[in-house]
């Protein structure tokens, strides 16, 4: 069973940094692509970034690629989203999500963590 547990959200000012963490169940991690989606108030959920656990291949949305970095720690079974130079438009609930390698949709998601950026 895929288990995803997020942490690290909070309230910050524009220009600040935050790092989100997602603990991934140990047994399933090698078979997954793990990433982050976000949903702002009144908007649809959107893709932010993902990493293939096995190969390390990363994909990052164009809108954040100059500011956000995704990485993983194989020992801690954790995926990180480092967010720098945050902007008010980054305010959203951030969900850790996962899909099987080769899958087209993120079938699994955590409970989400709130990120609020004030101007």
């Amino acid at each position: 069973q895929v288990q995803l547990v997020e942490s690290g959200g909070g309230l910050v000012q524009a220009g600040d940094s935050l790092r989100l963490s997602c603990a991934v169940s140990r047994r399933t991690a090698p078979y997954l692509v793990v990433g982050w989606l976000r949903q702002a108030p009144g908007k649809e959920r959107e893709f932010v970034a993902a990493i293939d656990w096995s190969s390390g291949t990363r994909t990052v949305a164009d809108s954040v690629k100059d500011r956000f970095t995704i990485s993983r720690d194989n020992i801690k079974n954790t995926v990180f989203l480092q967010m720098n130079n945050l902007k008010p438009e980054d305010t959203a609930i951030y969900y850790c999500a996962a899909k099987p390698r080769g899958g087209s949709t993120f079938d699994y998601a955590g409970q989400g963590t709130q990120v609020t950026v004030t101007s």
Side-chain angles (χ1 to χ4, degrees):
Q1 183 176 357
V2 177
Q3 293 183 329
L4 307 167
V5 179
E6 306 103 330
S7 61
L11 174 65
V12 297
Q13 293 184 332
D16 286 350
S17 298
L18 272 178
R19 188 177 76 162
L20 305 183
S21 301
C22 175
V24 184
S25 46
R26 180 181 300 274
R27 289 186 177 182
T28 58
Y31 308 102
L32 300 173
V33 172
V34 182
W36 294 91
L37 311 176
R38 68 183 182 184
Q39 188 165 17
K43 295 188 177 182
E44 294 186 354
R45 192 172 294 189
E46 65 174 353
F47 171 81
V48 178
I51 185 167
D52 183 306
W53 192 278
S54 181
S55 70
T57 301
R58 297 168 173 82
T59 307
V60 183
D62 288 341
S63 59
V64 301
K65 65 180 181 180
D66 294 333
R67 300 183 293 119
F68 291 10
T69 303
I70 189 168
S71 63
R72 72 183 181 322
D73 185 319
N74 288 339
I75 296 176
K76 296 182 179 179
N77 288 298
T78 301
V79 171
F80 302 101
L81 183 68
Q82 178 67 42
M83 305 185 292
N84 298 327
N85 190 23
L86 283 161
K87 303 176 180 181
E89 51 263 42
D90 295 318
T91 295
I93 300 175
Y94 284 71
Y95 298 91
C96 182
K99 61 181 180 178
R101 300 182 73 205
S104 58
T105 60
F106 287 94
D107 297 325
Y108 308 94
Q111 295 297 311
T113 185
Q114 177 70 48
V115 173
T116 303
V117 185
T118 61
S119 58

